[in-house]
Amino acid sequence: MSSLALLGGAPVRSKPFPPYITIGEAEKKAVSSVMDSGILSRYLGAWHPDFYGGPKVQEFEAAWATSHKAKYAISVNSATSGLIAAVGAAGVGPGDEVIVSPYSMCASATAPLIFNGVPIFADIDPDTYCLSPKSIRQKITSRTKAIIVVHIFGQAANMTEIMKIADEHGIIVIEDAAQAPFATHNGRMVGTLGQMGVFSLNYHKHIHTGEGGLVTTNSDEFAERLQLIRNHAEAVVSAKGVDNLINLIGFNFRLGEIEAAIGLCQLEKAPDLIRERCNNIQYLEEQLKGIPGIIVPTISDQSSHSRYVHILRYDEMATNVSRGRFVDALKAELPVTTLREGEGTLIRAGYTKPLYTLPLFQTQTGYGDVGCPFKCPHYGGSPDYQSASYPNVELAQRTIIIHELMRPPMTKADLDDVAAAFHKVSDHMHELQE
Ligand SMILES: *Cc1c(COP(=O)(O)O)cnc(C)c1O
């Protein structure tokens, strides 16, 4: 019998890894004081001082803006809402194209559709997994209105190059920083490098309020349009004296007072929580050095990484064992994580399927049954949703291993178990060769 757990041996560890819980006494107190106030949301969908929300919402926004050296932070009830509001504020409409990344969470690519804009995918950079400036340049047409850049997995995209290209063409850049709060590019925080930056506060992110999000901007005009789209623009514009009505059919994207109060506590914890992730990965990567077939990606020296997940690259040629089988062997050696037992061991081969493969894009079905916005008479372009056009996305999806076994409060002993599993599987690789 093999000693590998996948082949019947004893696993490296069966005791579950500790849960990632960032909510504590401070949050409980903050929630309690909102409860005592009796006002769980203070928004009014009308031109009135309460159009901007209640005291906790405004305090949270001011604190986030300060922490990011941004003029404005506009809270919303999710990053998905934030992306939609940002695309709307940018003025995207029928006939417009928005360049997006295919290697992201789906909302990064679907937000333009809400305003009848057509998502145009560009390829990614093979080192950062973020949009490649060169590919963006090739995708720009006279219809390109905006670019949604995703700082995927916690690392900033090459914003220096991307902003140069966008500024040359007068294109608005929206940063999806949902996975990269506090990451920097050339010393400046992501979310403040383009015209608008979107953050997520959902339960899976570095810090959270259950559900929630923010949009940062330094522009007075975008800030006003974001606030209007967040809160029933159509009922407000007349009394507020707003003339540009484009995309001002409003939504209710408002964050509650309880979530904002939690957000204030979480914002304070963010730098420490992120530092711990970085330290854990540094420690783990030291232990993984020299394992054949495991490549630790390098980080651009222009960027800091906030480590949403840990990415490794796997080289099948070096091991003669498929990535799927290698990951299965690792999973068999390691336990689940408490509170996420249903997901199995938090390590997997590849990320979510590239977004061009979604039925929405493959069948070009958006609004109604007449092909809008893809075949809309206002739109004369022909988007390319074929896998073969995005070789770096396909390569990444074939080669990366993603895991979350580096989040606080993983201890050195926990990380040693993770490393031990990699070494054990590697030492018995010949038993996995088919
Ligand atoms: C999580 C995530 C979102 C969406 O965040 P929500 O707050 O859940 O709407 C958007 N983009 C990326 C890259 C994400 O990881």
Side-chain angles (χ1 to χ4, degrees):
M1 192 172 77
S2 167
S3 69
L4 286 177
L6 184 69
L7 304 175
V12 167
R13 166 168 171 163
S14 47
K15 177 174 160 252
F17 287 123
Y20 183 58
I21 299 177
T22 63
I23 303 297
E25 285 310 312
E27 286 79 1
K28 283 187 205 166
K29 253 202 203 136
V31 168
S32 212
S33 89
V34 174
M35 298 291 274
D36 289 343
S37 79
I39 299 172
L40 308 189
S41 176
R42 190 161 199 148
Y43 274 105
L44 264 187
W47 184 226
H48 178 276
D50 291 347
F51 167 72
Y52 295 108
K56 285 294 161 193
V57 160
Q58 294 193 33
E59 194 185 335
F60 179 43
E61 292 180 338
W64 192 280
T66 302
S67 72
H68 280 72
K69 299 191 175 76
K71 188 162 181 191
Y72 299 95
I74 318 279
S75 63
V76 283
N77 56 8
S78 71
T80 303
S81 302
L83 285 163
I84 293 170
V87 170
V92 169
D96 290 336
E97 293 180 338
V98 179
I99 296 176
V100 298
S101 171
Y103 212 40
S104 183
M105 186 263 173
C106 53
S108 319
T110 57
L113 291 166
I114 307 305
F115 298 93
N116 280 286
V118 175
I120 298 294
F121 293 108
D123 205 358
I124 57 170
D125 177 298
D127 295 320
T128 64
Y129 309 105
C130 300
L131 279 178
S132 139
K134 188 168 156 227
S135 182
I136 288 176
R137 204 181 271 285
Q138 288 163 352
K139 293 290 182 145
I140 289 175
T141 70
S142 57
R143 301 183 180 89
T144 310
K145 180 88 180 180
I147 304 170
I148 299 177
V149 179
V150 186
H151 305 302
I152 200 74
F153 306 141
Q155 183 173 201
N158 185 346
M159 289 301 287
T160 307
E161 282 304 308
I162 292 171
M163 291 313 295
K164 203 186 315 169
I165 297 166
D167 289 345
E168 264 171 43
H169 292 85
I171 295 168
I172 293 165
V173 174
I174 298 165
E175 300 174 73
D176 178 343
Q179 297 189 5
F182 289 83
T184 59
H185 175 76
N186 287 337
R188 285 174 59 199
M189 248 185 266
V190 301
T192 65
L193 300 154
Q195 275 75 19
M196 289 174 270
V198 179
F199 296 87
S200 173
L201 297 169
N202 92 23
Y203 163 64
H204 289 285
K205 298 308 194 305
H206 300 70
I207 57 169
H208 78 102
T209 59
E211 302 285 353
L214 294 119
V215 187
T216 43
T217 185
N218 290 321
S219 150
D220 298 341
E221 185 199 341
F222 288 140
E224 179 182 53
R225 289 172 59 75
L226 289 162
Q227 286 157 342
L228 284 162
I229 292 169
R230 167 177 71 179
N231 187 12
H232 303 295
E234 68 284 354
V236 179
V237 285
S238 155
K240 196 172 192 294
V242 175
D243 299 326
N244 174 9
L245 297 185
I246 289 169
N247 293 346
L248 293 191
I249 306 166
F251 293 83
N252 176 350
F253 287 159
R254 307 178 311 206
L255 191 71
E257 288 289 286
I258 290 180
E259 289 78 7
I262 297 172
L264 277 161
C265 306
Q266 291 277 293
L267 176 58
E268 259 182 56
K269 294 180 178 177
D272 285 344
L273 286 167
I274 292 164
R275 196 170 313 115
E276 208 173 323
R277 285 171 183 252
C278 295
N279 292 344
N280 287 351
I281 286 184
Q282 195 178 7
Y283 180 77
L284 197 53
E285 287 186 346
E286 285 293 322
Q287 320 292 309
L288 299 182
K289 254 188 206 150
I291 296 182
I294 296 294
I295 302 149
V296 169
T298 50
I299 301 174
S300 152
D301 52 15
Q302 285 186 306
S303 300
S304 79
H305 201 306
S306 56
R307 300 295 195 178
Y308 181 56
V309 288
H310 186 203
I311 302 291
L312 294 164
R313 234 169 265 162
Y314 183 78
D315 179 7
E316 272 178 17
M317 304 294 270
T319 62
N320 247 327
V321 169
S322 77
R323 180 186 55 162
R325 193 153 166 81
F326 180 78
V327 170
D328 283 345
L330 280 175
K331 285 169 90 94
E333 299 296 339
L334 292 170
V336 296
T337 296
T338 302
L339 296 187
R340 291 180 65 187
E341 292 86 351
E343 295 171 66
T345 307
L346 297 178
I347 181 163
R348 60 184 169 136
Y351 183 48
T352 49
K353 276 175 64 176
L355 297 178
Y356 39 72
T357 65
L358 290 176
L360 153 69
F361 295 114
Q362 286 303 307
T363 66
Q364 300 197 13
T365 307
Y367 292 99
D369 62 356
V370 290
C372 286
F374 308 99
K375 306 255 167 13
C376 163
H378 295 288
Y379 179 60
S382 51
D384 180 352
Y385 298 142
Q386 292 187 65
S387 305
S389 307
Y390 307 97
N392 290 340
V393 174
E394 295 294 315
L395 177 70
Q397 188 61 358
R398 270 199 315 274
T399 51
I400 65 173
I401 293 176
I402 302 187
H403 76 89
E404 297 178 53
L405 306 173
M406 29 50 81
R407 300 179 311 171
M410 290 284 279
T411 62
K412 289 232 156 49
D414 293 328
L415 297 168
D416 286 341
D417 287 340
V418 176
F422 274 87
H423 281 282
K424 181 179 169 190
V425 173
S426 178
D427 290 346
H428 294 81
M429 203 67 103
H430 54 281
E431 296 172 29
L432 295 171
Q433 285 159 358
E434 283 134 321

